[in-house]
Amino acid sequence: MNSFDGDTTEPGAAPEPEQFLLPVADGERITVMLAAFEGWNDAGEAASDSLRYLNRVWGGKKVASIDADEYYDFQFTRPTVRRNASGERKIKWPSTRIYKASAPDSNVDVIFVQGIEPSYKWRAYTAELLVHAEALKVDYVVLVGALLADVPHSRPIPVSTSSDDAVLRERLNLEASQYEGPVGIVGVLSEVSLLAGLPTVSLWAAVPHYVAQAPSPKAQLALLHRVEELIQVPLDTHELAEEAAAWERGVDELATEDPEIAAYVRQLEEAKDTADLPEASGESIAREFERYLKRRGRDKP
């Protein structure tokens, strides 16, 4: 099994963005909404945890929320009780919280949407989110999700990038999603955002199904690297890179203790390496090496 080197993108997983998400004039500010939801769209909680990490690093301030009573079945998504700093018991209700932050040394403002997939009224829920997007002058939407897949933990975490906006696909060298089947709130919000005239990109990380429990820091890191490419703002991921390295070492140790799991991981590694061989062109190798050098300085503990 390979050791962790801090680079979690996958050559050939999807066409790579060629440039900044939105071309803007010097000094002009843009606002990008980053949204992730706990639940069905969030394997290993990688999507929601990645945005929580970035929101914390950038010091996001809460600017709005969506009331829980209209959208949640509390017998399914139960409130939790916590004690505050003074020892008092407080009930925390499931909700959707909206934060705003400015990316350091850039012209990008970010709106973070963090919540739990609702139980009811998805059309009304997404419409309410778009009202907030309009009020906050959002220019672009980036939806972040994670799914379970037959991928090895010891290889770069695949992150697919897609868009159903034809203009955006052409400019960023993306593809439309080919998925057909049941969707979660991320898929619904993607369609509704496009219908509202908001260009939308979807990012999905593939989390190894045999280590699906949260947290999944390596998948978080892969998602944040893809966000970094889209908005062209360097992200401080040192802390997360250390957690990802420790996570991979821990999974390596667990796998070596069970011969069947170790054999299964080797099978996944061989399949992955074989699938990547056609992509090993000079251009793709150069691109990945350049990406590795850029990240090595940021992610190296």
Side-chain angles (χ1 to χ4, degrees), residues 15-37:
E16 297 296 332
E18 295 291 342
Q19 55 176 288
F20 185 46
L21 182 63
L22 176 64
V24 292
D26 290 343
E28 182 181 354
R29 297 197 69 81
I30 67 163
T31 301
V32 177
M33 175 180 279
L34 292 172
F37 301 88

mmCIF file of all heavy atoms in Angstrom, residues 15-37:
data_model
loop_
_atom_site.group_PDB
_atom_site.id
_atom_site.type_symbol
_atom_site.label_atom_id
_atom_site.label_comp_id
_atom_site.label_asym_id
_atom_site.label_seq_id
_atom_site.Cartn_x
_atom_site.Cartn_y
_atom_site.Cartn_z
ATOM 1 N N PRO A 15 -12.508 15.441 -16.355
ATOM 2 C CA PRO A 15 -11.773 16.528 -16.959
ATOM 3 C C PRO A 15 -11.521 17.623 -15.933
ATOM 4 O O PRO A 15 -12.396 17.956 -15.140
ATOM 5 C CB PRO A 15 -12.720 17.011 -18.073
ATOM 6 C CG PRO A 15 -13.559 15.824 -18.384
ATOM 7 C CD PRO A 15 -13.723 15.106 -17.084
ATOM 8 N N GLU A 16 -10.324 18.169 -15.951
ATOM 9 C CA GLU A 16 -9.949 19.143 -14.943
ATOM 10 C C GLU A 16 -10.389 20.545 -15.340
ATOM 11 O O GLU A 16 -10.352 20.922 -16.501
ATOM 12 C CB GLU A 16 -8.416 19.153 -14.771
ATOM 13 C CG GLU A 16 -7.871 17.844 -14.274
ATOM 14 C CD GLU A 16 -8.373 17.527 -12.878
ATOM 15 O OE1 GLU A 16 -8.677 18.458 -12.121
ATOM 16 O OE2 GLU A 16 -8.473 16.339 -12.558
ATOM 17 N N PRO A 17 -10.810 21.375 -14.344
ATOM 18 C CA PRO A 17 -11.102 22.757 -14.644
ATOM 19 C C PRO A 17 -9.882 23.453 -15.232
ATOM 20 O O PRO A 17 -8.777 23.310 -14.734
ATOM 21 C CB PRO A 17 -11.460 23.338 -13.264
ATOM 22 C CG PRO A 17 -11.874 22.154 -12.449
ATOM 23 C CD PRO A 17 -11.038 21.016 -12.950
ATOM 24 N N GLU A 18 -10.104 24.228 -16.299
ATOM 25 C CA GLU A 18 -9.001 24.872 -16.983
ATOM 26 C C GLU A 18 -8.703 26.253 -16.420
ATOM 27 O O GLU A 18 -7.625 26.779 -16.611
ATOM 28 C CB GLU A 18 -9.336 25.006 -18.478
ATOM 29 C CG GLU A 18 -9.472 23.667 -19.192
ATOM 30 C CD GLU A 18 -8.153 22.953 -19.322
ATOM 31 O OE1 GLU A 18 -7.112 23.602 -19.187
ATOM 32 O OE2 GLU A 18 -8.166 21.733 -19.558
ATOM 33 N N GLN A 19 -9.687 26.894 -15.749
ATOM 34 C CA GLN A 19 -9.469 28.238 -15.277
ATOM 35 C C GLN A 19 -10.401 28.526 -14.121
ATOM 36 O O GLN A 19 -11.127 27.660 -13.653
ATOM 37 C CB GLN A 19 -9.702 29.241 -16.418
ATOM 38 C CG GLN A 19 -11.073 29.099 -17.077
ATOM 39 C CD GLN A 19 -11.318 30.144 -18.123
ATOM 40 O OE1 GLN A 19 -11.512 31.303 -17.796
ATOM 41 N NE2 GLN A 19 -11.280 29.756 -19.377
ATOM 42 N N PHE A 20 -10.336 29.772 -13.667
ATOM 43 C CA PHE A 20 -11.139 30.227 -12.557
ATOM 44 C C PHE A 20 -12.617 30.033 -12.852
ATOM 45 O O PHE A 20 -13.068 30.138 -13.987
ATOM 46 C CB PHE A 20 -10.812 31.701 -12.346
ATOM 47 C CG PHE A 20 -11.459 32.341 -11.165
ATOM 48 C CD1 PHE A 20 -11.462 31.716 -9.938
ATOM 49 C CD2 PHE A 20 -12.032 33.590 -11.280
ATOM 50 C CE1 PHE A 20 -12.042 32.323 -8.852
ATOM 51 C CE2 PHE A 20 -12.604 34.203 -10.200
ATOM 52 C CZ PHE A 20 -12.620 33.573 -8.978
ATOM 53 N N LEU A 21 -13.366 29.749 -11.807
ATOM 54 C CA LEU A 21 -14.794 29.501 -11.958
ATOM 55 C C LEU A 21 -15.503 30.615 -12.710
ATOM 56 O O LEU A 21 -16.341 30.369 -13.568
ATOM 57 C CB LEU A 21 -15.419 29.335 -10.563
ATOM 58 C CG LEU A 21 -16.897 29.015 -10.491
ATOM 59 C CD1 LEU A 21 -17.178 27.668 -11.129
ATOM 60 C CD2 LEU A 21 -17.377 29.026 -9.056
ATOM 61 N N LEU A 22 -15.156 31.857 -12.399
ATOM 62 C CA LEU A 22 -15.839 32.983 -13.032
ATOM 63 C C LEU A 22 -14.826 34.043 -13.432
ATOM 64 O O LEU A 22 -14.156 34.612 -12.571
ATOM 65 C CB LEU A 22 -16.863 33.600 -12.071
ATOM 66 C CG LEU A 22 -17.591 34.853 -12.540
ATOM 67 C CD1 LEU A 22 -18.442 34.529 -13.753
ATOM 68 C CD2 LEU A 22 -18.446 35.412 -11.430
ATOM 69 N N PRO A 23 -14.660 34.350 -14.721
ATOM 70 C CA PRO A 23 -13.749 35.427 -15.121
ATOM 71 C C PRO A 23 -14.311 36.770 -14.700
ATOM 72 O O PRO A 23 -15.463 37.095 -14.999
ATOM 73 C CB PRO A 23 -13.698 35.287 -16.647
ATOM 74 C CG PRO A 23 -14.954 34.590 -17.011
ATOM 75 C CD PRO A 23 -15.326 33.714 -15.864
ATOM 76 N N VAL A 24 -13.518 37.554 -13.983
ATOM 77 C CA VAL A 24 -13.991 38.848 -13.489
ATOM 78 C C VAL A 24 -12.945 39.912 -13.768
ATOM 79 O O VAL A 24 -11.758 39.635 -13.937
ATOM 80 C CB VAL A 24 -14.269 38.805 -11.972
ATOM 81 C CG1 VAL A 24 -15.456 37.913 -11.678
ATOM 82 C CG2 VAL A 24 -13.048 38.336 -11.204
ATOM 83 N N ALA A 25 -13.399 41.152 -13.819
ATOM 84 C CA ALA A 25 -12.493 42.272 -14.008
ATOM 85 C C ALA A 25 -11.726 42.522 -12.717
ATOM 86 O O ALA A 25 -12.156 42.140 -11.623
ATOM 87 C CB ALA A 25 -13.292 43.514 -14.407
ATOM 88 N N ASP A 26 -10.578 43.187 -12.852
ATOM 89 C CA ASP A 26 -9.766 43.499 -11.674
ATOM 90 C C ASP A 26 -10.589 44.292 -10.665
ATOM 91 O O ASP A 26 -11.238 45.289 -11.011
ATOM 92 C CB ASP A 26 -8.533 44.305 -12.085
ATOM 93 C CG ASP A 26 -7.537 43.480 -12.869
ATOM 94 O OD1 ASP A 26 -7.651 42.235 -12.804
ATOM 95 O OD2 ASP A 26 -6.675 44.065 -13.553
ATOM 96 N N GLY A 27 -10.535 43.840 -9.405
ATOM 97 C CA GLY A 27 -11.236 44.552 -8.350
ATOM 98 C C GLY A 27 -12.686 44.147 -8.172
ATOM 99 O O GLY A 27 -13.294 44.454 -7.146
ATOM 100 N N GLU A 28 -13.271 43.490 -9.148
ATOM 101 C CA GLU A 28 -14.666 43.072 -9.027
ATOM 102 C C GLU A 28 -14.763 41.862 -8.101
ATOM 103 O O GLU A 28 -13.991 40.921 -8.209
ATOM 104 C CB GLU A 28 -15.223 42.709 -10.404
ATOM 105 C CG GLU A 28 -16.686 42.303 -10.382
ATOM 106 C CD GLU A 28 -17.194 41.921 -11.762
ATOM 107 O OE1 GLU A 28 -16.429 42.089 -12.733
ATOM 108 O OE2 GLU A 28 -18.341 41.456 -11.851
ATOM 109 N N ARG A 29 -15.722 41.887 -7.185
ATOM 110 C CA ARG A 29 -15.898 40.786 -6.250
ATOM 111 C C ARG A 29 -16.971 39.841 -6.761
ATOM 112 O O ARG A 29 -17.916 40.259 -7.436
ATOM 113 C CB ARG A 29 -16.280 41.299 -4.860
ATOM 114 C CG ARG A 29 -15.212 42.174 -4.221
ATOM 115 C CD ARG A 29 -15.438 42.309 -2.733
ATOM 116 N NE ARG A 29 -15.202 41.060 -2.019
ATOM 117 C CZ ARG A 29 -13.994 40.608 -1.670
ATOM 118 N NH1 ARG A 29 -12.909 41.295 -1.975
ATOM 119 N NH2 ARG A 29 -13.872 39.460 -1.023
ATOM 120 N N ILE A 30 -16.808 38.561 -6.446
ATOM 121 C CA ILE A 30 -17.838 37.578 -6.772
ATOM 122 C C ILE A 30 -18.205 36.821 -5.502
ATOM 123 O O ILE A 30 -17.427 36.786 -4.532
ATOM 124 C CB ILE A 30 -17.388 36.589 -7.866
ATOM 125 C CG1 ILE A 30 -16.265 35.687 -7.350
ATOM 126 C CG2 ILE A 30 -16.988 37.303 -9.132
ATOM 127 C CD1 ILE A 30 -16.064 34.467 -8.207
ATOM 128 N N THR A 31 -19.366 36.228 -5.521
ATOM 129 C CA THR A 31 -19.844 35.463 -4.377
ATOM 130 C C THR A 31 -20.183 34.054 -4.838
ATOM 131 O O THR A 31 -20.975 33.869 -5.767
ATOM 132 C CB THR A 31 -21.085 36.124 -3.753
ATOM 133 O OG1 THR A 31 -20.752 37.460 -3.336
ATOM 134 C CG2 THR A 31 -21.560 35.336 -2.541
ATOM 135 N N VAL A 32 -19.572 33.075 -4.185
ATOM 136 C CA VAL A 32 -19.777 31.669 -4.508
ATOM 137 C C VAL A 32 -20.443 30.985 -3.319
ATOM 138 O O VAL A 32 -19.983 31.113 -2.182
ATOM 139 C CB VAL A 32 -18.438 30.969 -4.822
ATOM 140 C CG1 VAL A 32 -18.666 29.483 -5.086
ATOM 141 C CG2 VAL A 32 -17.754 31.629 -6.013
ATOM 142 N N MET A 33 -21.541 30.296 -3.575
ATOM 143 C CA MET A 33 -22.194 29.516 -2.526
ATOM 144 C C MET A 33 -21.646 28.092 -2.537
ATOM 145 O O MET A 33 -21.653 27.422 -3.569
ATOM 146 C CB MET A 33 -23.712 29.483 -2.739
ATOM 147 C CG MET A 33 -24.452 28.593 -1.751
ATOM 148 S SD MET A 33 -26.251 28.552 -2.011
ATOM 149 C CE MET A 33 -26.704 30.084 -1.187
ATOM 150 N N LEU A 34 -21.155 27.639 -1.393
ATOM 151 C CA LEU A 34 -20.711 26.260 -1.203
ATOM 152 C C LEU A 34 -21.718 25.574 -0.294
ATOM 153 O O LEU A 34 -21.947 26.025 0.839
ATOM 154 C CB LEU A 34 -19.326 26.213 -0.565
ATOM 155 C CG LEU A 34 -18.135 26.710 -1.398
ATOM 156 C CD1 LEU A 34 -16.880 26.769 -0.530
ATOM 157 C CD2 LEU A 34 -17.900 25.798 -2.578
ATOM 158 N N ALA A 35 -22.322 24.481 -0.762
ATOM 159 C CA ALA A 35 -23.380 23.835 0.005
ATOM 160 C C ALA A 35 -23.125 22.345 0.152
ATOM 161 O O ALA A 35 -22.721 21.670 -0.800
ATOM 162 C CB ALA A 35 -24.737 24.053 -0.671
ATOM 163 N N ALA A 36 -23.356 21.829 1.356
ATOM 164 C CA ALA A 36 -23.266 20.395 1.637
ATOM 165 C C ALA A 36 -24.308 20.055 2.681
ATOM 166 O O ALA A 36 -24.663 20.892 3.523
ATOM 167 C CB ALA A 36 -21.872 20.018 2.134
ATOM 168 N N PHE A 37 -24.792 18.816 2.644
ATOM 169 C CA PHE A 37 -25.869 18.402 3.535
ATOM 170 C C PHE A 37 -25.554 17.045 4.152
ATOM 171 O O PHE A 37 -25.176 16.105 3.443
ATOM 172 C CB PHE A 37 -27.191 18.319 2.764
ATOM 173 C CG PHE A 37 -27.597 19.624 2.135
ATOM 174 C CD1 PHE A 37 -27.147 19.953 0.858
ATOM 175 C CD2 PHE A 37 -28.396 20.524 2.823
ATOM 176 C CE1 PHE A 37 -27.497 21.161 0.273
ATOM 177 C CE2 PHE A 37 -28.755 21.732 2.245
ATOM 178 C CZ PHE A 37 -28.307 22.057 0.974
#
